[in-house]
Amino acid sequence: MKKLLSFLLILTLSVTMSACSDPKPENTVKSFLDSYKNGNITEAIKYVEGNENFNIEKIKKDFEANQNDKTTQAFLKAFSKLEYKIINSKVENNTAVVETEITVPNLGKVIAELMKEAFTLALSSAFSDNNNQSDMDSMMETMLLDKINSEDIPMVKKVVNINLVKQDNSWVIKADEEFANAITGNLLEISKIFSK
């Protein structure tokens, strides 16, 4: 009986170990999105391959330097509302595409509304004696938090093809604009408008 139990235990462990040694690209996507949603950006970044448009080390350093900033905390609060559903996964040799539906606060729309309100405030304060930039920045942070904490924050749902590549027997996400816009609620799109 002991031999049979030992054999079954070894068989179970070997099956479990072989399942763990054969990673699936959708597991990488889930791990990234769960870490991202939970505000663990440093952990989430481990699942992403950088490129010339997405300098992962710079993103990590910027986040760590500003993680206690009110604006960063507001964005983390928004990202915590992210929901996702894996639709399909396709693997070809060392590349994969995981089709994923992502629903997240529409930060592009929120920031656009905030900028309109900020312009109005800046214009009115320009004609008053109370023209303090620090007060204006604080007011903007408060307005952003109010919008993000609102029960009726606009949401956006996108189906995105997340591209992955196999590196050292594990899958990593190849960041691109479609992916970045999907997880940030069009924040990349709105930042392009303001950077022109």
Side-chain angles (χ1 to χ4, degrees):
M1 187 69 171
K2 281 186 179 180
K3 285 185 179 183
L4 179 61
L5 285 174
S6 294
F7 175 74
L8 289 174
L9 182 62
I10 290 170
L11 181 64
T12 303
L13 284 173
S14 65
V15 168
T16 304
M17 295 301 280
S18 67
C20 291
S21 66
D22 185 24
K24 295 182 177 179
E26 54 268 25
N27 290 341
T28 296
V29 171
K30 287 177 186 177
S31 295
F32 170 83
L33 291 172
D34 288 341
S35 296
Y36 184 81
K37 178 181 171 131
N38 291 325
N40 193 343
I41 304 301
T42 305
E43 178 66 23
I45 286 173
K46 293 179 183 177
Y47 300 101
V48 181
E49 175 186 63
N51 60 38
E52 63 276 358
N53 296 322
F54 298 95
N55 183 332
I56 296 303
E57 281 307 308
K58 182 178 180 334
I59 293 169
K60 181 179 174 184
K61 284 179 186 174
D62 287 349
F63 171 74
E64 289 171 351
N66 298 305
Q67 65 184 351
N68 295 320
D69 179 75
K70 282 185 181 178
T71 303
T72 301
Q73 289 300 311
F75 286 130
L76 290 176
K77 174 80 175 177
F79 299 154
S80 74
K81 298 178 181 190
L82 179 142
E83 297 294 331
Y84 70 90
K85 181 171 68 173
I86 304 289
I87 298 170
N88 192 14
S89 180
K90 182 179 171 187
V91 177
E92 262 186 49
N93 299 321
N94 290 329
T95 62
V97 177
V98 178
E99 185 181 13
T100 309
E101 181 184 272
I102 297 175
T103 305
V104 68
N106 190 341
L107 292 177
K109 185 174 183 178
V110 168
I111 296 298
E113 289 171 2
L114 189 63
M115 296 311 285
K116 285 179 189 174
E117 292 171 21
F119 180 74
T120 304
L121 284 172
L123 196 58
S124 66
S125 72
F127 296 108
S128 74
D129 294 335
N130 194 10
N131 191 3
N132 186 336
Q133 184 61 44
S134 177
D135 289 345
M136 180 64 98
D137 291 345
S138 180
M139 197 179 329
M140 291 294 295
E141 287 175 341
T142 301
M143 289 167 63
L144 177 62
L145 276 168
D146 288 347
K147 288 184 179 299
I148 287 172
N149 287 323
S150 170
E151 291 293 320
D152 61 346
I153 186 170
M155 302 292 281
V156 61
K157 183 187 292 188
K158 289 186 177 187
V159 174
V160 60
N161 288 323
I162 302 175
N163 297 298
L164 297 96
V165 64
K166 202 167 202 179
Q167 291 180 353
D168 300 326
N169 203 34
S170 63
W171 292 97
V172 292
I173 296 168
K174 293 180 66 85
D176 58 27
E177 285 188 22
E178 181 186 21
F179 171 71
N181 266 318
I183 64 171
T184 63
N186 299 321
L187 205 52
L188 188 63
E189 285 299 315
I190 200 74
S191 69
K192 280 183 183 177
I193 293 168
F194 289 112
S195 65
K196 288 182 181 178

